Structures are given as C-alpha cells and as structure tokens.
Amino acid sequence: MKQLIIVLILLSALSSVAQQTITLEECYTLVTQNYPLVKQSKLLDMQNELESDVISTSRLPQFSLDAQATYLSDVVEVPIPNSSIESLNNDQYRATISVNQLIYNGGVSGASLNLKSAQLKTKQKQIEVSLYQLKQQINQLYFSVLLAQESKLLLNAKNTQLQAKLKEVQSGVKYGIILPSSDKILEAELLKISQQLQELESNNTTLIETLSSLISLPLYTSTLFQSPLLETQIKSELNRPELELFQLKKEEIENSESVLSKQNTPKLFGFATGGYGNPGLNMLDNSFQTFYTVGFKLNWNIFDWKSNKKQRESLLINKDIVDNETEIFKLNTTIELNQQQKEITKIEAFIISDLSIITLRKEVLKAADSQLKNGVITSSAYITELTNLYEDENTLVKHKIQLQLAKANYNVIKGL
C-alpha cells in the first residue's frame, strides 16, 4: 500500500511538471519580484530611515561632558600688600556637563528630511527602471523558446513524414519499382533530422535555464510557453518609468535648493552648563565649587562670499541638464518606436509571402510524391522538395515569432 501511495505521488508530481504553463506577463511579474536587484529597495528604505533619524536628532537636546586637570606655570596674584586673598593654585580641576537645545534654524531640518525623502524616491525609481529594462531580455529569451518549440514540432512532423515514406520506398525497392539504395538516402536524411532535434533540444534547454535563472522559477523543457496575442497602440503616449525618474530628479534638485536657501538663516540655540571644579566661576575663591551658566546663542552667517548663491545656480543648471536628458530620451525612444513599427510592417508582409510560397511548395511536393512512387524521380529529388517545404514552413514560423517579438519590444519601448 505504501509503495502504491509513493508511486501515485511521483506520478502526480511528474504530471504537474509536465502540465506547467507560463505566460510572457508572468515572466515580467516574476523578474520584477525575484531579481536580486529588488533587495536593494528594502536596503534603501532602511538606509533612509537611519539617515532621517540622524537629521531628526538635531532637534533634540545635545549633551556633552568635559573634564580636565591642568597645571599652570604661573597664576593670577592680587598685588595688594598684606591681603588675605590667596593666590590660585597652580594645579586646577574642572568637570562640566553641557546641554544645547536648537530652538530655531530656519526650517533646515524639515527641508533636509524632505530632501532625503526625494532622494529615496529617485533611487527607488532607478531600481524600477533597471528592472523594466530587463523586459526586452525576457522577450528575447521567451520568444526564442517559442521558436525552438515550434521548430521542434515541424522537425518532428518532417521526421514522421519521412518515416512513412521510408516504408513505402522500402516496399518499392523490394518489388523493383523504385531504384535500389533509395531507402538509404531516406535513412541518412532521418539521421540528419535526429541530429537537428538533438541540437534544437540542447539550445532550447539552455534558453529555458537562462530564463528560469532570470525569473527565479524552475522551468523545464516540458513547460508550455503560451504564445501571447499582442497588439500595439500607435497613438498612445509614452509611459516609461524613465520619464518619472527624470521628474523625480528635478524634485530632488528643488529640495536641495530649498536646503541651501535655508542654510544662511539665523540659528538660535539655548544652552546650560553645570560644573564642579577648583576654581569655580569665582576666581578669587581658591577651593572646589559647583557652578552653572544658562543662556541663548544666535548664529548667523551674514557673508559667505556668494558661495550659497553659486551652489543654487549650479543646481539650476542641473535642472536644465535633466530637461535635456528627458528630451534626448524621448527623441531616442521615438526613433526606436519608428524602427520597430517598420520592422512589424516588414514581417507582416513576409508572412503573406510565406503563405503563398508554402501553398506552391505543397503542390510541388505532392507531384514529387507521385513521381517517387512511380519511380520517375529519385529519393534525393523527393527529399529536396520535402526539405524546401520544411524550410519554408520553418521560415513562416520564424516570421510569426519575430512578429510577436517585435510587437512585444514595441510595447516595452512604449511603456505599455
């Protein structure tokens, strides 16, 4: 009973593997979820959180502890004869704890937090752009697998047809209707087909393994790759993540400009210091004392030789650079789309021509089949016509796959 259960489980597993199917859209989704670059998104979140916390601490009280012991070669003395005021000790000691509290800094902290948020969005979008650019690689692999699978079906069909024809020829040779050795020619062609199938299988395995690694999903040679029904939208607008990236770069620059504009604003601090030392604040009391000071401090950099202004002007140039990059990207993308559209139109014309050629090839092969049966032509002549038909059918399949690939690439370039 246990052995039967194990067999059923194995059969079920093999059945699930054999029935595995995948679509192009699923590959797109999987690569954006599983590609190693995705991990950087979480790392950037963690990094931004830490850096934002550092900026936020500038609003909290800042504590510092100082302690020192010194020996002075000379000290202050009171030049009054017979005075009871003692001279200071040459050895002096002091320990203090200070508290500084930022009261006002012109909104620098808030602007810095906004800048960090903008920088995070830019980095996250850059990851999205990098992942999006993997789609064309997915297209190339996916449709190459489809082509290999379709080519294998055609090659198997040719193999089956030759096997049937070999039996007919062997019978004809036996009864003297067909020239001797005609069957050997067919057998040699069948061996060639076997080699072609092995090479096709090897290439297909490599393609599937590469795609499997890219999307982090186990795929097999038995996996069914569904052929997508793709349409292109000529009049739709560009919807590429790069365009959003350019906009986020401009927002980041604007936030940087905001931080710079606030750096030269007055900054107000409150402070308090408490300590214990010899001497204390009373320099005439030569003993250990406690003491404290409290107050406010204003810091205002009123002149920086136009450094801040020049930095802001530099940022404005960066905005112009981003605008220029956006313009270049749109131009290059439009050129790519035009090229891809012409490729689609060209392949569609090829397919119409392929269908006409195949119709003619089938008529020629039908005539060659009859001639071979009657001993009018040799097996070599028949194989030539059969190979011509196979190659033209393979060309049609290739063009159909290329058409779908061109449409998929067009949609990726467009951002659909």
Side-chain angles (χ1 to χ4, degrees):
M1 187 64 182
K2 289 182 179 179
Q3 292 177 342
L4 178 60
I5 292 173
I6 292 172
V7 170
L8 290 174
I9 291 173
L10 290 173
L11 288 174
S12 176
L14 290 172
S15 175
S16 64
V17 170
Q19 295 175 359
Q20 183 191 29
T21 61
I22 193 165
T23 65
L24 181 61
E25 287 297 328
E26 286 173 347
C27 289
Y28 288 161
T29 302
L30 288 168
V31 76
T32 56
Q33 291 176 349
N34 300 329
Y35 195 70
L37 185 61
V38 177
K39 296 177 182 178
Q40 284 192 20
S41 183
K42 292 182 180 179
L43 295 174
L44 287 172
D45 283 332
M46 294 169 59
Q47 185 184 52
N48 180 72
E49 185 177 350
L50 292 171
E51 292 178 348
S52 297
D53 287 343
V54 171
I55 294 173
S56 297
T57 57
S58 65
R59 300 172 177 174
L60 301 175
Q62 307 297 312
F63 295 87
S64 62
L65 175 65
D66 293 296
Q68 67 178 30
T70 60
Y71 182 85
L72 307 179
S73 62
D74 198 7
V75 293
V76 176
E77 296 181 358
V78 179
I80 301 175
N82 301 319
S83 172
S84 61
I85 300 175
E86 298 181 5
S87 299
L88 294 177
N89 295 333
N90 291 80
D91 55 327
Q92 298 182 2
Y93 308 92
R94 172 172 291 205
T96 59
I97 183 168
S98 300
V99 181
N100 287 277
Q101 173 64 58
L102 174 65
I103 299 174
Y104 175 78
N105 68 348
V108 172
S109 298
S112 297
L113 287 172
N114 291 336
L115 175 58
K116 283 297 176 186
S117 177
Q119 289 173 338
L120 174 64
K121 290 178 181 178
T122 301
K123 292 176 181 177
Q124 299 280 28
K125 184 58 67 173
Q126 182 61 65
I127 291 175
E128 183 181 334
V129 167
S130 298
L131 291 173
Y132 186 85
Q133 291 171 348
L134 289 171
K135 283 188 174 183
Q136 287 203 7
Q137 188 175 351
I138 293 290
N139 287 347
Q140 194 63 47
L141 289 168
Y142 190 91
F143 287 102
S144 294
V145 172
L146 280 181
L147 178 59
Q149 290 183 343
E150 293 295 330
S151 298
K152 182 179 178 181
L153 290 175
L154 282 176
L155 206 53
N156 281 327
K158 181 183 178 182
N159 184 72
T160 301
Q161 190 169 352
L162 278 178
Q163 291 280 7
K165 186 57 60 180
L166 176 62
K167 292 180 180 179
E168 292 180 8
V169 169
Q170 287 174 337
S171 177
V173 170
K174 180 179 179 181
Y175 293 104
I177 301 174
I178 299 176
L179 293 174
S181 77
S182 294
D183 56 336
K184 304 301 180 184
I185 297 173
L186 291 175
E187 289 175 359
E189 186 66 21
L190 285 170
L191 289 174
K192 286 184 181 179
I193 291 176
S194 177
Q195 290 178 340
Q196 291 172 354
L197 283 170
Q198 289 177 7
E199 183 178 4
L200 201 59
E201 191 70 30
S202 176
N203 293 339
N204 191 42
T205 300
T206 301
L207 290 168
I208 290 174
E209 287 177 351
T210 304
L211 181 60
S212 177
S213 299
L214 201 59
I215 64 177
S216 299
L217 177 73
L219 298 174
Y220 311 93
T221 53
S222 59
T223 301
L224 176 62
F225 287 74
Q226 296 185 1
S227 182
L229 298 174
L230 298 170
E231 297 296 333
T232 57
Q233 300 177 19
I234 307 298
K235 296 182 179 179
S236 61
E237 296 294 326
L238 284 179
N239 189 30
R240 292 283 292 271
E242 288 90 340
L243 296 176
E244 297 177 32
L245 176 61
F246 292 136
Q247 184 59 39
L248 288 173
K249 283 183 176 180
K250 291 175 67 175
E251 293 176 8
E252 182 182 336
I253 292 171
E254 290 169 359
N255 280 279
S256 297
E257 187 181 3
S258 176
V259 171
L260 283 173
S261 67
K262 299 177 187 301
Q263 281 185 346
N264 285 346
T265 56
K267 298 174 178 60
L268 181 63
F269 298 87
F271 65 88
T273 301
Y276 181 72
N278 181 5
L281 296 181
N282 183 358
M283 298 296 294
L284 300 179
D285 186 350
N286 193 22
S287 64
F288 281 92
Q289 307 164 40
T290 58
F291 58 88
Y292 70 90
T293 59
V294 294
F296 296 95
K297 181 173 67 173
L298 180 68
N299 185 343
W300 188 5
N301 186 9
I302 60 176
F303 188 70
D304 65 352
W305 302 96
K306 296 184 179 180
S307 173
N308 188 278
K309 180 182 177 182
K310 291 177 181 177
Q311 290 181 64
R312 291 166 67 182
E313 289 175 351
S314 176
L315 286 174
L316 290 176
I317 294 175
N318 282 340
K319 287 183 70 174
D320 291 337
I321 291 173
V322 173
D323 287 335
N324 181 251
E325 289 176 345
T326 305
E327 183 182 355
I328 293 171
F329 175 79
K330 288 182 177 179
L331 175 62
N332 290 337
T333 304
T334 301
I335 292 173
E336 284 187 74
L337 287 172
N338 290 335
Q339 291 174 341
Q340 207 66 38
Q341 182 57 45
K342 286 182 172 57
E343 183 73 10
I344 291 171
T345 303
K346 180 185 73 175
I347 297 173
E348 287 175 340
F350 283 166
I351 290 175
I352 294 173
S353 178
D354 289 337
L355 292 171
S356 299
I357 292 171
I358 289 172
T359 300
L360 294 172
R361 289 292 186 193
K362 286 181 177 179
E363 291 179 2
V364 172
L365 182 64
K366 185 177 180 181
D369 182 42
S370 176
Q371 291 171 343
L372 178 64
K373 288 179 180 178
N374 295 316
V376 177
I377 62 172
T378 64
S379 299
S380 297
Y382 174 81
I383 289 174
T384 298
E385 296 304 331
L386 178 62
T387 302
N388 288 338
L389 175 61
Y390 164 76
E391 289 178 352
D392 289 333
E393 288 178 335
N394 199 45
T395 299
L396 174 61
V397 168
K398 182 179 179 180
H399 283 154
K400 286 182 176 180
I401 299 297
Q402 286 178 340
L403 178 61
Q404 293 301 310
L405 173 59
K407 288 182 177 181
N409 286 338
Y410 182 94
N411 289 339
V412 169
I413 295 169
K414 193 83 170 180
L416 300 177

